[in-house]
Amino acid sequence: MQKILTVICFLFSCIVVSAQQQAYYFTRITVQNGLSHNKVNCILRDQRGFMWMGTDDGLNRFDGNKFTVFRNDPGNKATISGNIITDLLEDKEGIIWIATADGGLTKYDQHLPPAQQFKQYRHTPGDSSSIPVNIINKLLEDNQGILWLATSGSYVVRFDKKTERFTVPARVGTNTALALSMCSDGKIWVGRQGGGLLKIHPQTLRYEMDERYGNLYAKLPHATVTSLFSDRNKNIWIGSWDKLIYKLNTVTKQEQTIPANVINEEALSFAEDKQGNVWIGGRYNGLYIYDPQQQKFQHFPHDPSKEGTVAANRINCIYIDPAGVVWLGTNKGVSVSNPLQQQFKQTFLPRPFGKDVVIHDFYKDESKDLWIGTSEGLYIQRNGRADFEHRPLQYKGTPIGVSRFFKDREGNHYLGTNYSLFRFDPKTVSISLLPNTEKDGVMNQIIKSNVTSVVEDTIDDHPVLLVSPYGHFLTYYDLVDMKWVSRLDSTKKIIQRFNIKDNLIRSICKTKAGAIWMATTKHGLGKWTKNSAPKLNFFINDPSKSNGLSNNNVYDIAEDGNGNLWLSTFGGGLHYFHVKNETATHIAEGNNLLEGLQVDRAGNVWMIGNGNLHKYDPLTKSYSSFQLPDIEKSGGVQGRIYKDADGKLYAAGNGYFISFQPQQIKINQQQPMVYLTDFRIFNESHSHLLNEKSISLQHNQNYITIEFSAPDFSSGSPVHYQYMLEGFDKKWIDLNTENKVSFSNLEGGDYTFRVRATNKPGVWSKEMASMQITIIPPFWKRWWFFVLCAFFAAGIAYAVYRYRINELVKLQAIRNKIAQDLHDNVGSTLSSISVYSQVAKIYKQQQKEQQLQDTLEKISETSSEMISEMNDIVWAINPRNDHMDVMLQRMQSYAKPLLASKEIKLSFTYDPAVQLLNLEMTKRKNFYLIFKEAVNNVLKYAQCKNLEVKISATHHHLEMLVKDDGVGFDPATMKAKASQSLSGNGLRNMEMRAKEMKGTMHIESVPGGGTTIKLRFPIP
């Protein structure tokens, strides 16, 4: 009975309100925007701010601009385990758990190397330790960090992330669980298919259930629970197959039912916003929002005829992010409701006979009545009323469209129209042509145009109304002569007289100082200069000037508080014109295709561009964009912006207008955080390196790409990026909306990569992402290599120095040796000659002629030997005789004539390679003298018939064989005689010369068997 009363009370306290005017405007994200599939089952915002969307064909990561899609690759365990993503959960460690309907569970850890980021948990038949089933419907993490999986076919599965163990704590009732929720006391609620609710205590694993649900045919409420949600008031919301929504208070245990006549819907999803409103996504009829304060439901179904409604009537999931942006996953993409976009509401005008209504201008009178000039006449919204009065206007049967309101200083009202300029009486809503209008060929029924601007001025000392009939240059109405003066006036000739160069004048602006400026389509900004006669001077685009206009198509003009002008150009964006020095400053930030503009009381500039509204703050130099609702798919707002006496702004679209107080418009002040998302080397991902404090690369890893992203979904403006590679770049580099940058052939050294982002062009976030990069140079460019080279060069220099010193020492030693040899030989020879001379004197005194003659011959022979030896030494030390072929020639030229005189036949042979050798001076001298001594011994003692000389080079040694067929001798006897007398110096000298060359010399001889001398010494 109590439950029935509760239901009745809830029934009468709830009212479903169909939105007469759309309170929530939704933009749509589909496969055309990069989504992998239009059926979106789950949505999650991770700790870094990225939005994750699970679809029937893969997982999507979205940063507000770009999608990254992850799909299963059969056989590749480094991908997600399935493609039908049913739920997403991010745990406290930032790991994302992915539930699938075709592949079990997947763990995603973006901190790991790419090949290890995804870990699959799939059911393996016969393996009891694997996940029991591959169909997972929902995920939940309890207070102890344990995962709970609602499955189809295996009840509720408990997963311990540390041990990676799967268990099923409650094998009772039906084995399919569709929903999970945890209430404030930590108890887990399970919504089952056909079994009602199951409650599990996660610590003790005890469970509770209503035994009545054991009878699957019993008619019980919420027998099949499709969704569960716990709100901030400790209520559990229940969606069920019976198309009823239930609300159970976990404190009072009272269950309330929303009857079918209030909401006849199966709720698939729930969410709660910051205001406490509960959002409910239905299976069949779209979105419902419950206001607990007023206890009212609003219904927002899909309307295919209108833009901005939910994408489809099946709402699979609802996610509300920290910024209040609402994300709805439907079968036809994602619907997004941005709270900043909801600040602007479209007010539609009634359509007479279904005609399109084009709004041209606004005017709010002293009574606060709003007058709207349109292509179908006037619309009036009286002060305090929401409806509109439509007042069609006609003149002589011609329908009149109103394009401009004007009120002069005397309070007279005028209407600029597509026919002419009319006087207007607001009380009677009547119009009348100015006198003599019929006489003017331009202003009497303007041809295919309308009046775009009207100001008061004086010409020729007459007060006039200066008028721009678009396409017909400029006209004015003389209020004294009461006539129009236009381009057709042959007397006034105003085109030449006033220097009017453009027939398309969009706007005429009269400043507080009385100056008049004109916005032209082809000739830039016109200044109405009044000296003896009015004249237009034009400020046009001049590429050679940096302080001029960037575009000649000026759309609108507005004066700021300093008396300077803001200009909107269609193609060149926003400009600030300094009136005093007549220079323009281009505002680079923002949209280039600008139309109307206005300056609010705070000095901010509001503009229309590409169908949306834009704001520029001159103090902070920041630019903001607002994506406006466009229910009728009309292309957004266009034309001018009107400002009333209270500072309220009005902008018009096709058949509707938007009005707002600028100071009440909230702007997203939070700049997006930028994250490094990938690091590629030769297009191969190494994203795990982003977790390191510093990245070190080899010199040949010289092509890298760094990707980054700044998730932002609430600003309405695309995110722009700047980067700087410290150590390479001197200033920040603009990337616009590009979110990656590549570097190649970086020199070795330390670099710091920095990137920053903004959703307000002109104002950059102080927060930035950075990373240290060290390029290890090749060894030949590293400091230790230069040190080694320096040491090596110093070593070479020292070696050269030592070599030169050693060579000088050697040369000096050779010189000393030569001097010593000369001293010894010459001294010994001269001593012998001196002795022989004394002996010769004695023989002469004794008159011993024969002995005297012998002595004189010895003197002559000794002198000749000394001269010959001196010639040999001089020849040996001459550098021109370094080559071996010169040596061989000298050896032959010495031996042949001497041996021939004794009738000894000479056989002189050598290897061809010997000719190519160069012997240094000492070895050359000793080699030659040994040979000469051997030949001399043959001549003196051998008594031979043949002499064989053979020279060869083997194994870096030079060998010489001297062999005769003479009488020979006994080497032992010869050595004994040599030791007992002064004779035998020749053989000793030969042995000493061989040792000096670090060689060996062997003499083989037997009496009667000839003599053989073998010399062997090393050569380079």
Side-chain angles (χ1 to χ4, degrees):
M1 183 66 181
Q2 183 180 359
K3 185 173 180 181
I4 294 174
L5 289 175
T6 302
V7 172
I8 293 173
C9 292
F10 195 69
L11 169 62
F12 282 102
S13 64
C14 294
I15 302 174
V16 175
V17 179
S18 295
Q20 299 298 321
Q21 182 173 318
Q22 191 82 6
Y24 292 94
Y25 184 86
F26 295 91
T27 56
R28 191 176 301 180
I29 300 173
T30 66
V31 291
Q32 294 179 345
N33 305 105
L35 191 65
S36 63
H37 194 274
N38 277 336
K39 187 173 185 297
V40 179
N41 304 312
C42 49
I43 299 174
L44 171 73
R45 181 184 184 270
D46 68 15
Q47 295 175 3
R48 298 188 298 172
F50 292 99
M51 298 303 299
W52 294 79
M53 303 172 190
T55 74
D56 270 8
D57 186 24
L59 179 63
N60 300 256
R61 188 184 71 192
F62 183 51
D63 64 2
N65 181 50
K66 178 185 175 183
F67 278 95
T68 302
V69 179
F70 303 91
R71 286 190 175 94
N72 171 255
D73 182 8
N76 184 359
K77 292 187 177 181
T79 62
I80 55 176
S81 57
N83 282 327
I84 304 175
I85 313 299
T86 55
D87 202 11
L88 296 167
L89 183 146
E90 184 180 30
D91 64 19
K92 298 170 185 176
E93 288 76 31
I95 295 172
I96 296 177
W97 297 88
I98 306 159
T100 74
D102 60 339
L105 182 68
T106 302
K107 173 185 176 183
Y108 174 74
D109 187 350
Q110 56 98 9
H111 300 96
L112 298 177
Q116 303 172 23
Q117 289 178 351
F118 287 100
K119 184 173 183 179
Q120 300 179 358
Y121 299 90
R122 295 175 64 95
H123 174 65
T124 303
D127 184 357
S128 60
S129 65
S130 67
I131 190 170
V133 68
N134 282 331
I135 305 175
I136 303 175
N137 300 313
K138 288 294 176 182
L139 296 173
L140 183 142
E141 184 180 24
D142 66 20
N143 295 328
Q144 286 72 45
I146 301 296
L147 284 186
W148 294 81
L149 288 59
T151 73
S152 290
S154 190
Y155 307 94
V156 179
V157 176
R158 181 180 183 271
F159 177 63
D160 190 325
K161 294 183 291 184
K162 296 180 179 179
T163 62
E164 297 189 334
R165 182 185 176 193
F166 295 94
T167 57
V168 181
R171 296 180 179 269
V172 292
T174 57
N175 60 8
T176 294
L178 300 177
L180 294 172
S181 182
M182 186 168 63
C183 65
S184 57
D185 60 1
K187 191 182 299 182
I188 296 173
W189 291 53
V190 183
R192 298 182 295 176
Q193 181 176 315
L197 291 170
L198 176 71
K199 303 168 190 176
I200 302 176
H201 299 265
Q203 292 181 336
T204 63
L205 301 184
R206 290 188 301 106
Y207 58 86
E208 305 170 18
M209 60 177 292
D210 191 336
E211 298 296 338
R212 295 178 301 163
Y213 287 90
N215 181 3
L216 299 181
Y217 298 98
K219 293 183 178 181
L220 297 171
H222 50 71
T224 293
V225 177
T226 53
S227 58
L228 290 170
F229 175 72
S230 178
D231 68 17
R232 67 181 67 173
N233 296 318
K234 300 181 180 180
N235 297 310
I236 294 288
W237 292 76
I238 304 169
S240 173
W241 276 6
D242 53 18
K243 294 186 179 180
L244 293 175
I245 298 175
Y246 304 87
K247 186 174 74 167
L248 176 63
N249 189 295
T250 59
V251 178
T252 64
K253 309 300 181 182
Q254 291 183 342
E255 182 178 291
Q256 299 173 334
T257 304
I258 303 173
N261 63 343
V262 178
I263 298 179
N264 184 21
E265 180 65 279
E266 177 189 340
L268 296 179
S269 53
F270 295 90
E272 186 176 18
D273 63 23
K274 293 180 180 178
Q275 291 73 37
N277 300 316
V278 178
W279 296 58
I280 305 170
R283 180 185 290 271
Y284 306 104
N285 300 313
L287 176 69
Y288 298 85
I289 301 177
Y290 173 65
D291 184 344
Q293 299 297 325
Q294 300 183 9
Q295 294 190 350
K296 292 181 179 179
F297 286 87
Q298 279 187 297
H299 182 208
F300 300 94
H302 168 66
D303 187 346
S305 67
K306 292 184 178 180
E307 189 77 7
T309 64
V310 294
N313 278 328
R314 177 174 173 134
I315 312 296
N316 300 313
C317 60
I318 304 174
Y319 186 87
I320 304 177
D321 69 20
V325 179
V326 180
W327 305 76
L328 308 179
T330 76
N331 279 12
K332 294 184 179 179
V334 179
S335 291
V336 184
S337 175
N338 189 337
L340 294 180
Q341 193 177 21
Q342 313 308 322
Q343 302 178 102
F344 303 94
K345 296 182 180 179
Q346 291 177 288
T347 302
F348 287 89
L349 299 180
R351 293 185 178 184
F353 309 107
K355 293 182 180 179
D356 288 338
V357 179
V358 179
I359 300 175
H360 294 292
D361 201 8
F362 300 86
Y363 170 67
K364 184 173 279 190
D365 62 21
E366 292 80 1
S367 301
K368 305 297 183 182
D369 293 340
L370 180 64
W371 298 74
I372 305 173
T374 77
S375 59
E376 300 302 319
L378 292 172
Y379 284 81
I380 309 168
Q381 187 179 43
R382 300 298 180 183
N383 185 17
R385 295 182 61 91
D387 59 345
F388 293 91
E389 301 174 18
H390 180 210
R391 300 295 183 91
L393 299 178
Q394 287 189 353
Y395 182 78
K396 293 183 178 181
T398 302
I400 300 299
V402 179
S403 56
R404 195 70 170 168
F405 293 98
F406 178 71
K407 181 182 178 181
D408 67 17
R409 287 173 291 182
E410 298 178 355
N412 299 312
H413 291 82
Y414 297 86
L415 294 183
T417 71
N418 59 347
Y419 189 94
S420 187
L421 182 68
F422 289 91
R423 278 200 174 100
F424 174 59
D425 186 350
K427 294 181 180 180
T428 61
V429 193
S430 60
I431 58 174
S432 60
L433 275 181
L434 278 69
N436 298 313
T437 296
E438 292 86 351
K439 296 180 181 180
D440 186 78
V442 173
M443 292 305 296
N444 183 33
Q445 200 165 2
I446 304 170
I447 301 172
K448 295 182 179 179
S449 186
N450 51 40
V451 173
T452 60
S453 243
V454 183
V455 297
E456 289 182 277
D457 196 28
T458 58
I459 297 177
D460 298 330
D461 297 325
H462 285 194
V464 301
L465 296 177
L466 201 59
V467 179
S468 167
Y470 192 68
H472 299 277
F473 296 92
L474 194 67
T475 64
Y476 67 89
Y477 187 79
D478 191 319
L479 294 171
V480 175
D481 294 339
M482 300 183 69
K483 69 171 185 178
W484 286 100
V485 179
S486 67
R487 61 182 173 85
L488 299 179
D489 192 319
S490 59
T491 303
K492 298 290 186 179
K493 297 181 180 179
I494 62 171
I495 294 179
Q496 294 80 13
R497 182 185 175 196
F498 297 160
N499 190 36
I500 305 174
K501 295 184 178 181
D502 199 335
N503 64 319
L504 302 174
I505 298 175
R506 281 202 178 99
S507 177
I508 305 174
C509 173
K510 189 171 185 178
T511 67
K512 297 173 184 177
I516 293 176
W517 301 83
M518 300 184 189
T520 74
T521 302
K522 297 175 288 185
H523 249 76
L525 178 66
K527 180 181 180 182
W528 185 252
T529 305
K530 296 173 66 176
N531 294 321
S532 58
K535 184 179 181 181
L536 273 173
N537 293 324
F538 292 92
F539 300 91
I540 62 174
N541 169 248
D542 185 348
S544 65
K545 294 181 179 180
S546 60
N547 57 359
L549 298 180
S550 64
N551 189 283
N552 287 330
N553 191 349
V554 179
Y555 198 100
D556 204 0
I557 307 170
E559 183 184 12
D560 70 358
N562 299 319
N564 294 317
L565 304 178
W566 288 99
L567 311 177
S568 62
T569 67
F570 197 78
L574 182 64
H575 294 74
Y576 187 62
F577 189 81
H578 302 263
V579 172
K580 186 176 181 180
N581 54 23
E582 297 182 343
T583 59
T585 301
H586 179 231
I587 309 302
E589 297 82 5
N591 199 293
N592 285 326
L593 299 177
L594 296 181
E595 299 180 33
L597 82 165
Q598 274 290 354
V599 180
D600 66 19
R601 291 178 174 178
N604 300 309
V605 184
W606 294 82
M607 301 150 282
I608 290 174
N610 284 346
N612 286 316
L613 199 62
H614 308 268
K615 174 188 172 183
Y616 179 72
D617 186 342
L619 294 178
T620 61
K621 296 183 179 180
S622 62
Y623 196 98
S624 304
S625 296
F626 303 89
Q627 188 175 6
L628 302 177
D630 187 10
I631 294 174
E632 300 290 345
K633 308 178 184 179
S634 63
V637 293
Q638 56 191 349
R640 291 191 181 90
I641 300 176
Y642 171 71
K643 181 171 68 173
D644 67 17
D646 298 323
K648 193 174 186 178
L649 300 184
Y650 301 78
N654 187 12
Y656 72 93
F657 67 92
I658 290 173
S659 60
F660 60 95
Q661 282 288 356
Q663 66 271 19
Q664 295 177 357
I665 299 301
K666 297 177 181 178
I667 297 177
N668 180 24
Q669 300 295 342
Q670 185 175 1
Q671 289 279 29
M673 290 289 295
V674 61
Y675 298 94
L676 303 176
T677 57
D678 202 1
F679 186 85
R680 296 180 173 271
I681 304 174
F682 291 111
N683 207 34
E684 182 180 346
S685 177
H686 296 265
S687 59
H688 60 288
L689 296 178
L690 298 175
N691 301 309
E692 305 294 333
K693 293 182 179 180
S694 178
I695 297 176
S696 296
L697 302 175
Q698 298 298 322
H699 70 94
N700 55 355
Q701 294 176 305
N702 57 2
Y703 186 81
I704 61 174
T705 300
I706 304 173
E707 295 185 8
F708 38 84
S709 184
D712 181 66
F713 312 99
S714 60
S715 66
S717 301
V719 176
H720 290 69
Y721 299 94
Q722 282 186 338
Y723 80 91
M724 179 168 60
L725 185 65
E726 293 181 0
F728 183 81
D729 297 316
K730 301 296 184 183
K731 60 180 182 179
W732 288 95
I733 310 297
D734 283 317
L735 286 172
N736 292 322
T737 58
E738 183 66 32
N739 66 334
K740 65 180 179 180
V741 62
S742 298
F743 302 98
S744 60
N745 299 321
L746 289 176
E747 292 291 332
D750 295 323
Y751 301 91
T752 301
F753 176 78
R754 301 186 189 276
V755 59
R756 62 186 183 181
T758 183
N759 51 24
K760 299 182 185 66
V763 179
W764 292 96
S765 173
K766 295 181 180 179
E767 300 292 333
M768 62 186 73
S770 64
M771 63 185 302
Q772 303 293 324
I773 302 174
T774 299
I775 306 295
I776 300 174
F779 71 87
W780 59 85
K781 290 186 177 181
R782 301 182 70 176
W783 67 268
W784 54 264
F785 180 78
F786 290 114
V787 172
L788 286 179
C789 288
F791 278 116
F792 184 70
I796 291 176
Y798 181 74
V800 170
Y801 168 76
R802 291 303 307 169
Y803 174 77
R804 295 184 63 184
I805 294 298
N806 292 338
E807 289 298 310
L808 290 175
V809 170
K810 289 180 181 179
L811 182 60
Q812 187 63 37
I814 292 172
R815 288 173 178 170
N816 293 338
K817 177 66 175 174
I818 293 173
Q820 184 66 37
D821 289 345
L822 288 175
H823 177 271
D824 292 344
N825 293 338
V826 172
S828 174
T829 301
L830 291 177
S831 296
S832 299
I833 292 173
S834 177
V835 171
Y836 287 139
S837 298
Q838 295 297 327
V839 173
K841 287 181 181 179
I842 295 172
Y843 286 153
K844 184 177 181 181
Q845 291 174 359
Q846 294 176 355
Q847 295 184 352
K848 295 180 179 179
E849 294 298 331
Q850 184 59 43
Q851 288 85 348
L852 177 61
Q853 185 62 32
D854 292 341
T855 302
L856 291 175
E857 288 180 359
K858 285 183 179 182
I859 291 174
S860 176
E861 183 179 348
T862 301
S863 299
S864 297
E865 288 179 355
M866 182 185 69
I867 292 171
S868 177
E869 187 170 350
M870 290 184 66
N871 285 336
D872 290 338
I873 292 174
V874 171
W875 178 88
I877 65 175
N878 191 339
R880 289 180 295 180
N881 301 320
D882 287 350
H883 297 290
M884 197 66 183
D885 56 348
V886 177
M887 168 86 70
L888 296 174
Q889 292 175 10
R890 181 172 179 83
M891 291 169 70
Q892 293 184 74
S893 61
Y894 174 78
K896 279 185 178 180
L898 293 176
L899 294 173
S901 65
K902 295 288 187 176
E903 295 182 351
I904 300 173
K905 186 177 180 181
L906 174 65
S907 173
F908 192 92
T909 60
Y910 50 83
D911 293 343
V914 173
Q915 288 181 290
L916 304 177
L917 298 177
N918 288 331
L919 293 181
E920 51 95 7
M921 183 173 58
T922 302
K923 290 184 178 181
R924 186 170 65 248
K925 181 194 71 171
N926 290 330
F927 180 71
Y928 177 73
L929 293 179
I930 289 173
F931 168 76
K932 184 176 179 182
E933 185 67 30
V935 171
N936 287 335
N937 288 336
V938 168
L939 291 171
K940 292 179 180 179
Y941 311 113
Q943 302 178 22
C944 63
K945 298 295 184 181
N946 297 289
L947 177 64
E948 179 184 2
V949 178
K950 184 177 181 181
I951 302 172
S952 61
T954 57
H955 300 96
H956 298 286
H957 283 75
L958 187 65
E959 296 180 353
M960 181 173 66
L961 175 70
V962 180
K963 182 178 181 180
D964 64 57
D965 55 357
V967 297
F969 63 91
D970 182 4
T973 304
M974 183 62 67
K975 285 183 180 182
K977 290 182 178 180
S979 61
Q980 296 175 3
S981 67
L982 297 176
S983 62
N985 287 337
L987 291 178
R988 279 199 301 272
N989 288 339
M990 292 171 68
E991 290 177 349
M992 289 176 61
R993 294 185 188 281
K995 289 181 179 180
E996 189 176 351
M997 293 189 294
K998 297 181 180 180
T1000 58
M1001 190 185 74
H1002 300 283
I1003 301 175
E1004 299 175 359
S1005 181
V1006 293
T1011 301
T1012 301
I1013 299 174
K1014 293 181 180 180
L1015 173 67
R1016 190 173 188 269
F1017 63 91
I1019 56 175

